[in-house]
Amino acid sequence: MQEILDDIVATIGASDDRGKVADYIPQLACIDPNQFAISVVLADGRVFSSGDYQQLFSIQSISKVFTLTIALGKLGDGVWAKVGREPSGDPFNSIVQLEHENGKPRNPFINAGAIAIADAIMVGHQPRETLAEILQFVRFIADDESICIDHKVAESELKTADRNASLAHFMASFGRMKNPVDYVLGTYFHQCSIAMTCEQLARSGLFLAGDGENPVTGTRVVSARRARRINSLMMMCGHYDGSGEFAYRVGLPGKSGVGGGILAVAPGHASIAVWSPGLDDVGNSKLGTEALERLVQHTGWSVFA
Ligand code: DON
């Protein structure tokens, strides 16, 4: 495994064609696109990493997997009254379907859906409490108390919030927001601004590779059925309008973020994190996807095997 990862870093990680870093969030625009990392945590707990795997990066939309998991814990199937579970086929920040569908986002991973999920888990709590709960959950699943929020990124998102604010207010116009819109947006921006290393991120996905249980710590996070369902949502919706392409090329459930990270799950085998800040045309890590494609060619991991 170490050889495979070192080879991926030496070849794909050194590619000239790296995509474009997200520039609509100013704090992400200044990230060096030449960084690259990959980490694999096997189901037996062995960890393999290569490249800049100790470098912190903004997990962005990957946080939506964690908030969905929290929401399912709080609301159970009540989550599906708030968001659907169909791929959108539209960009992550698109507003077009919301009008036709009465303000109900297609799935929990597009921005509108994740804002609706943040609203759902906030009920009865202040933003600060909700954020503490999200952070505590991420630290628990990653088994790492050092994980924190990058407040500079959160501030940067707040300053350029027009699109997300539009989505949130539009949903509110359908009576779908239970908390003040500004509170929900503040929570959402901060959850997206959680900073993690590739290794921490790979550890955080272990429960999804282990049928709901973290095989390293032996703690159950969700039921096996719930873990499978979260994986299916990642497979269908985790890469927005690039989800079909990702399923075709990688064949594993995955969730991307505009910080250039991808969390992928090989059920029964491993949790994998990759990071390369340059994005493709639909906002998913360009080299990150190529790295995962190469990894599954070597390992044979696929949910379609
Ligand atoms: O709300 C946003 O636009 C960002 N905080 C998150 C978007 C994102 O990561 C999309 N993923 N590829």
Side-chain angles (χ1 to χ4, degrees):
M1 180 58 68
Q2 190 62 50
E3 249 172 59
I4 296 172
L5 301 191
D6 288 343
D7 173 64
I8 288 172
V9 169
T11 53
I12 293 165
S15 170
D16 288 334
D17 194 2
R18 308 186 74 83
K20 240 178 114 271
V21 298
D23 54 9
Y24 73 101
I25 300 171
Q27 198 64 27
L28 296 183
C30 52
I31 303 291
D32 174 8
N34 293 310
Q35 300 175 92
F36 182 95
I38 182 162
S39 288
V40 174
V41 186
L42 297 176
D44 65 10
R46 281 181 295 159
V47 186
F48 299 90
S49 295
S50 195
D52 304 305
Y53 62 91
Q54 278 169 336
Q55 185 67 36
L56 290 167
F57 63 92
S58 193
I59 66 166
Q60 292 293 319
S61 287
I62 304 168
S63 65
K64 297 169 181 175
V65 176
F66 309 141
T67 51
L68 170 66
T69 307
I70 295 170
L72 285 167
K74 288 188 167 200
L75 282 75
D77 280 342
V79 163
W80 309 120
K82 313 254 174 211
V83 296
R85 40 179 196 253
E86 291 293 345
S88 71
D90 275 323
F92 65 85
N93 58 0
S94 174
I95 200 166
V96 291
Q97 285 166 349
L98 277 180
E99 181 163 20
H100 293 300
E101 297 174 8
N102 299 317
K104 181 177 176 178
R106 274 279 173 101
N107 67 64
F109 295 151
I110 51 173
N111 285 8
I115 292 167
I117 292 288
D119 180 57
I121 61 181
M122 252 188 91
V123 169
H125 299 280
Q126 293 298 313
R128 191 175 288 274
E129 295 168 327
T130 309
L131 270 173
E133 182 182 2
I134 295 169
L135 201 52
Q136 188 186 17
F137 180 72
V138 174
R139 288 172 174 171
F140 164 62
I141 56 173
D143 192 26
D144 191 328
E145 288 298 313
S146 71
I147 295 166
C148 283
I149 290 169
D150 183 335
H151 289 278
K152 275 197 186 148
V153 175
E155 271 166 41
S156 185
E157 291 205 52
L158 264 167
K159 280 190 198 138
T160 52
D162 289 337
R163 178 66 73 102
N164 284 317
S166 305
L167 295 171
H169 283 288
F170 199 60
M171 289 189 285
S173 76
F174 288 92
R176 289 189 162 271
M177 302 292 275
K178 302 288 175 238
N179 302 278
V181 165
D182 287 351
Y183 285 19
V184 178
L185 285 170
T187 303
Y188 169 74
F189 292 138
H190 282 82
Q191 81 174 54
C192 288
S193 303
I194 293 173
M196 289 168 92
T197 67
C198 244
E199 201 166 299
Q200 288 170 331
L201 186 59
R203 285 183 192 281
S204 74
L206 267 174
F207 76 101
L208 294 170
D211 248 356
E213 188 177 294
N214 181 326
V216 177
T217 58
T219 44
R220 177 157 294 283
V221 179
V222 294
S223 67
R225 186 168 78 156
R226 183 160 291 164
R228 291 173 192 184
R229 287 175 162 180
I230 295 168
N231 284 338
S232 82
L233 280 152
M234 289 170 73
M235 180 59 111
M236 299 307 294
C237 319
H239 282 70
Y240 315 105
D241 41 342
S243 297
E245 180 73 8
F246 186 82
Y248 182 85
R249 288 170 60 186
V250 178
L252 298 174
K255 183 74 209 78
S256 67
V258 286
I262 301 176
L263 173 64
V265 179
H269 298 291
S271 173
I272 309 142
V274 287
W275 174 52
S276 174
L279 309 177
D280 64 17
D281 293 343
V282 295
N284 301 315
S285 176
K286 184 174 186 297
L287 298 185
T289 309
E290 289 174 23
L292 289 167
E293 204 173 1
R294 178 76 63 90
L295 179 69
V296 298
Q297 279 163 11
H298 279 290
T299 57
W301 292 335
S302 169
V303 293
F304 303 111

